[in-house]
Amino acid sequence: MWLRRLSTDRVARRGDAPGDAPLILVEPVKSALRVQALNDAAAALGLMPDLPLADVRAMYPGIIVREADRAADHALLEAVADWCDRYTPLVGLDPPNGLLLDISGCAHLFGGERALGRDLIARLQRQGLAARLGLADTPGAAIAVARYGHQRLVAPGDTRAALLPLPLAALRLPGETVAALAQAGLRRIADIAARPRAPLAARYGEHLLRRLDQALGHEEESIAPRLPVPAYVAERRFPEPIARSEDVLGVIAQLAGDLSRMLERRGAGARHLQAALFRADGAVHRIGAGTAAPLRDAVRMARLFAERLAAIGDACDPGFGYDMVRLSALVAEPLAPAQSGLDSTDRAAALAHLIDRLGARFGAPRLTRPLPRDSHVPERAVAAVPAQTAGGLPWRDVAPPAQDSLAPLRPLRLLAPPEPIEDVISEVPDGAPAQFRWRGVRHVVAAAEGPERIAMEWWAGAAGEAPRDYFRVESRDGLRAWIFRQDRRGRDDAGAATRTTRWLLHGLFA
Amino acid sequence: MDPVPAGAAATLCRLRQDVARIEGHETALDVGTPLLTLGVAAIDGALQGGLRPASLHEIAPQAARDAGAATGFALALAARAGRAAAETLWIQTDFAAAEVGALYGPGCALFGLSARRLLVLTVRRPVDALWAMEEALKSRALGSIVAELPGDAPFADLTATRRLAVAARGGESFAVLLRHRVSPLASAAQTRWHVAALPGQPDRFGGLGRTALSLSLVKNRRGPTGRFLVAWDHHERAFSALSLGVAAAAVDRPGRAPRRRAG
């Protein structure tokens, strides 16, 4: 599919320029503004891309000029590609203004290829986008007939006949190659298709023949899909758009039922679900939800999306309503048919569902399990692993070095980052503090244990950090804190060794 | 003290049962779910056997410096409450984590609650903590659930706690609201505790002693209130009563009855 006037359509859609007046978009090329794109009215005046703006202004002083914005063009192309997802899950980009749709096996859903094409063009036209469709056996041929062909729907097997009369530029060749071929009198695909291949390759490069082979189907070319192709899909289209969130949730619940039956037939469960809401004006909202264990229960799927929609809130604006809703399982894993009723499995399933729902509501990274890691540095000794993914990870309890003490060695709460404490007085040099001030309150130390020296891990990028000496201290009124001292050694201007000590509070014990 | 007539005692007993039924307490007793004992005779006696699971309890630190002690008491209860395979969900707000530190897995493991059985949820708004707690209670998948409420948490009033208490009643989970400040608000919790850190008894070499806590039971639906001094043994996961000479005198007298009779 070729979006002929993508850039100017974008400007016109924005309401930035009157629809039918000549419009050109310019961008700087080698310190001169040149035409990058133009609309049909401007093309009718005989203007061409790459003309300098000064020349255009000289010819037509009243022409409307806007700045080109390739990033916005690309974003629009992506949005259209998103929208095209309604026809087939296999949509690829062909920048700067083309899209590739693999509609094998999808066209009958829309009443045949011709009807699908008409529907696609009409819908895009309503959105203010001029599109031209080419349909052929290979991506290369489809691109060629979309842009240069008179007969745009090429029946299977007719590819060669349809391509031969087209100009060589249809083969997606660089401009220099086309110009060089033209100098040699080769203008049409027919001119090279019958010639000996070796001299052509020697003269114009392998690329020319590859493009020819791709277009003719001698060489395989696959469409790179933009989005992962889901394993299981259920969808509903509506003659009238729906906008109320209850309706949307109701539809998702129905789709979840469909999906659940599909998954059950294959003995699978979904690990990652996605609901795609196609808005009538072309925008597509995609809402994802992960699960901790393979999920097949329709009610639970529906509840996950209820949480997600509640959490997203206004970010998912229905506008004039959705005319299609699709629920797909992006990732599925085998799930043996479960025998329900046993207490332990019920509880495990209920827990997995709770994890999914809390993850859907607050975001999966917010519900974590503290996975011990093999590190002596306190803040690195634990990794907060999202509970949805923690299931399969190996769990190894890493105990801190054994120490003969009646109190636990590690605090219950860890401050990040550690907080500085002031007015630290020690009775013995390098010994435990006798008193300190934390958050403006003075604490007199009644008992202390330490020091426990923890060296920073030089291999983990903390080479410059000095080792820490940790003390567990208990104040006279019972505050138990984990504090450490860090010495920074250096040299002053005169070259004498200096030592600056800082004290920090890192955690609280019970 | 006058002996209570036999007929009056029976009436009183019946009335108590009626009140209990109206308040919906006895479900846990009927099901026969084991009570959560603290292992200290004085406390378990005051609680008539122990804390009820499937109910809501509130813990608050006496002063700001006791935040660690209150966390420790909640963790100790969760460690004792959990059945062998049951998990604990700990709900923290971002603000709470910034103010007194985030829950530290290795520390919890050493304190007695295995980090394998710990799930930590951090939420942005304190109201979300209540929502998450209610959902978790309804799911019946967890052994115990602790939600931290930083600041005064004025939204956790009688209505909000009542919702939680009702949600808790249906399952078997042990629910704890860990407030960061003592709250004057009414609450539907079964028990309310004010926890303060207590200087431990240093060992013979001047090191730290066992974690010692002062537990003030300020609300108890099933019996008298009181103040108890306990020590926590993190190896045995058991409380033991502290018998300090000075502390014994400081224990609040639980009964209000004698004074009323005198008047």
Side-chain angles (χ1 to χ4, degrees):
Chain A
M1 184 171 72
W2 179 34
L3 296 162
R4 290 189 304 126
R5 304 289 182 203
L6 181 76
S7 310
T8 49
D9 283 345
R10 176 177 59 78
V11 174
R13 260 160 63 99
R14 216 170 49 195
D16 208 6
D20 38 10
L23 166 72
I24 56 170
L25 303 186
V26 295
E27 67 175 355
V29 178
K30 288 182 187 164
S31 77
L33 287 174
R34 285 175 184 271
V35 176
Q36 183 244 337
L38 64 176
N39 66 359
D40 285 336
L45 296 176
L47 298 180
M48 308 263 279
D50 278 348
L51 274 178
L53 175 61
D55 296 3
V56 178
R57 276 262 161 83
M59 288 187 276
Y60 306 101
I63 199 164
I64 302 169
V65 180
R66 295 282 181 268
E67 267 180 43
D69 184 350
R70 283 180 191 267
D73 287 348
H74 193 79
L76 178 61
L77 188 68
E78 294 259 4
V80 177
D82 254 5
W83 175 85
C84 283
D85 216 21
R86 59 170 47 233
Y87 294 105
T88 163
L90 247 172
V91 181
L93 292 183
D94 173 30
N97 52 12
L99 289 178
L100 295 167
L101 280 65
D102 185 350
I103 58 164
S104 340
C106 307
H108 70 276
L109 298 173
F110 300 86
E113 293 171 347
R114 206 165 281 274
L116 186 151
R118 268 201 303 275
D119 184 60
L120 177 59
I121 301 283
R123 279 176 189 267
L124 282 176
Q125 197 145 31
R126 278 208 292 280
Q127 296 177 30
L129 290 168
R132 208 191 273 176
L133 210 63
L135 184 74
D137 290 352
T138 64
I143 290 170
V145 294
R147 283 157 210 240
Y148 297 94
H150 297 292
Q151 175 209 0
R152 303 224 177 83
L153 298 184
V154 180
D158 291 350
T159 312
R160 191 179 172 89
L163 283 181
L164 287 181
L166 299 186
L168 278 170
L171 286 180
R172 293 177 285 168
L173 297 170
E176 312 84 85
T177 314
V178 177
L181 285 161
Q183 278 182 349
L186 304 173
R187 292 172 199 285
R188 303 197 163 271
I189 296 179
D191 297 340
I192 61 164
R195 276 180 193 275
R197 295 168 63 85
L200 277 177
R203 177 75 178 80
Y204 301 103
E206 294 279 351
H207 195 63
L208 170 65
L209 291 177
R210 174 162 328 118
R211 285 303 193 199
L212 181 66
D213 287 346
Q214 281 175 346
L216 291 174
H218 298 321
E219 186 174 320
E220 192 67 27
E221 183 187 12
S222 55
I223 298 175
R226 293 174 56 249
L227 303 168
V229 180
Y232 301 90
V233 175
E235 62 186 37
R236 287 262 193 295
R237 289 154 205 279
F238 318 111
E240 281 291 314
I242 57 169
R244 294 198 322 150
S245 57
E246 295 86 1
D247 296 343
V248 174
L249 285 176
V251 171
I252 290 181
Q254 288 176 14
L255 292 174
D258 294 353
L259 202 62
S260 158
R261 280 188 289 280
M262 267 185 253
L263 290 165
E264 194 163 5
R265 271 203 296 279
R266 297 286 186 82
R271 281 301 301 273
H272 193 95
L273 289 160
Q274 190 189 57
L277 308 174
F278 291 76
R279 220 162 67 176
D281 63 357
V284 182
H285 295 306
R286 290 176 197 279
I287 304 163
T291 66
L295 175 69
R296 200 156 62 197
D297 185 344
V299 179
R300 292 188 167 175
M301 285 187 204
R303 288 192 75 177
L304 280 187
F305 283 103
E307 302 300 351
R308 286 297 296 149
L309 284 174
I312 293 171
D314 291 341
C316 190
D317 171 25
F320 294 111
Y322 303 107
D323 61 357
M324 181 173 140
V325 177
R326 170 187 296 162
L327 187 66
S328 42
L330 295 184
V331 182
E333 282 179 5
L335 173 64
Q339 185 178 14
S340 58
L342 293 170
D343 183 54
S344 62
T345 53
D346 275 2
R347 174 163 294 141
L351 180 63
H353 182 50
L354 179 70
I355 289 173
D356 294 344
R357 290 188 56 208
L358 294 177
R361 178 80 172 213
F362 301 110
R366 283 187 162 261
L367 181 63
T368 56
R369 283 180 186 278
L371 186 76
R373 293 203 310 185
D374 207 352
S375 171
H376 293 301
V377 182
E379 53 267 40
R380 291 201 204 109
V382 63
V385 182
Q388 282 188 350
T389 51
L393 294 177
W395 190 291
R396 201 157 56 91
D397 286 315
V398 182
Q403 207 166 327
D404 194 18
S405 171
L406 290 172
L409 294 179
R410 292 287 179 263
L412 293 181
R413 292 174 166 278
L414 201 69
L415 291 162
E419 281 182 23
I421 49 177
E422 295 110 39
D423 303 345
V424 181
I425 300 169
S426 304
E427 281 169 358
V428 200
D430 293 353
Q435 52 174 274
F436 62 93
R437 187 189 297 279
W438 177 50
R439 290 184 181 171
V441 180
R442 208 165 71 94
H443 298 277
V444 179
V445 174
E449 283 183 357
E452 179 188 349
R453 170 158 288 203
I454 296 179
M456 294 296 105
E457 297 165 336
W458 52 263
W459 60 90
E465 212 182 326
R468 303 168 178 174
D469 285 337
Y470 278 92
F471 294 90
R472 279 165 286 145
V473 300
E474 179 181 304
S475 79
R476 271 193 201 149
D477 35 54
L479 174 86
R480 292 187 182 211
W482 206 34
I483 62 183
F484 68 89
R485 185 188 62 207
Q486 209 167 23
D487 290 339
R488 193 170 295 149
R489 289 166 197 280
R491 298 206 170 266
D492 62 11
D493 297 338
T498 58
R499 192 177 95 160
T500 47
T501 301
R502 56 181 198 145
W503 285 89
L504 298 115
L505 189 146
H506 205 175
L508 295 174
F509 294 92
Chain B
M1 238 191 250
D2 303 331
V4 181
T11 314
L12 208 60
C13 184
R14 207 183 60 239
L15 283 173
R16 276 199 183 124
Q17 282 176 351
D18 286 349
V19 171
R21 201 178 54 246
I22 292 164
E23 292 188 341
H25 289 175
E26 87 277 54
T27 41
L29 292 175
D30 290 350
V31 175
T33 331
L35 297 175
L36 168 60
T37 58
L38 275 76
V40 175
I43 306 180
D44 289 339
L47 295 168
Q48 303 201 351
L51 291 167
R52 261 92 196 133
S55 60
L56 180 72
H57 305 271
E58 267 192 44
I59 297 173
Q62 201 112 55
R65 65 160 181 274
D66 300 321
T71 309
F73 184 50
L75 262 179
L77 290 182
R80 283 182 72 86
R83 294 171 301 270
E87 315 247 345
T88 298
L89 175 67
W90 193 285
I91 307 166
Q92 260 189 330
T93 61
D94 292 342
F95 180 73
E99 198 179 42
V100 286
L103 204 64
Y104 186 53
C108 297
L110 285 174
F111 199 73
L113 183 71
S114 166
R116 277 171 198 266
R117 289 168 37 203
L118 187 61
L119 279 162
V120 181
L121 173 70
T122 51
V123 293
R124 229 170 256 127
R125 299 175 304 162
V127 198
D128 290 335
L130 293 184
W131 182 90
M133 187 180 201
E134 193 180 328
E135 291 300 315
L137 284 169
K138 283 185 190 157
S139 84
R140 306 182 180 197
L142 296 157
S144 40
I145 300 153
V146 183
E148 284 188 41
L149 299 178
D152 288 327
F155 49 86
D157 54 2
L158 186 61
T159 319
T161 49
R162 182 114 193 112
R163 277 186 75 103
L164 294 176
V166 170
R169 209 179 289 154
E172 303 166 24
S173 312
F174 181 71
V176 176
L177 269 187
L178 179 58
R179 289 179 183 273
H180 281 200
R181 264 179 232 166
V182 169
S183 167
L185 291 168
S187 162
Q190 284 260 321
T191 59
R192 288 180 108 167
W193 303 81
H194 292 173
V195 183
L198 213 59
Q201 290 162 302
D203 62 12
R204 282 178 298 151
F205 309 104
L208 304 182
R210 293 198 192 294
T211 305
L213 304 172
S214 148
L215 307 174
S216 304
L217 179 57
V218 293
K219 176 190 175 185
N220 181 7
R221 282 193 133 167
R222 308 188 65 84
T225 58
R227 178 161 172 252
F228 313 94
L229 306 184
V230 295
W232 170 252
D233 182 339
H234 59 273
H235 292 299
E236 302 295 328
R237 293 177 198 178
F239 286 105
S240 56
L242 277 185
S243 50
L244 293 171
V246 185
V251 172
D252 295 341
R253 278 171 302 173
R256 290 162 298 182
R259 189 178 290 173
R260 209 158 55 209
R261 290 218 178 171

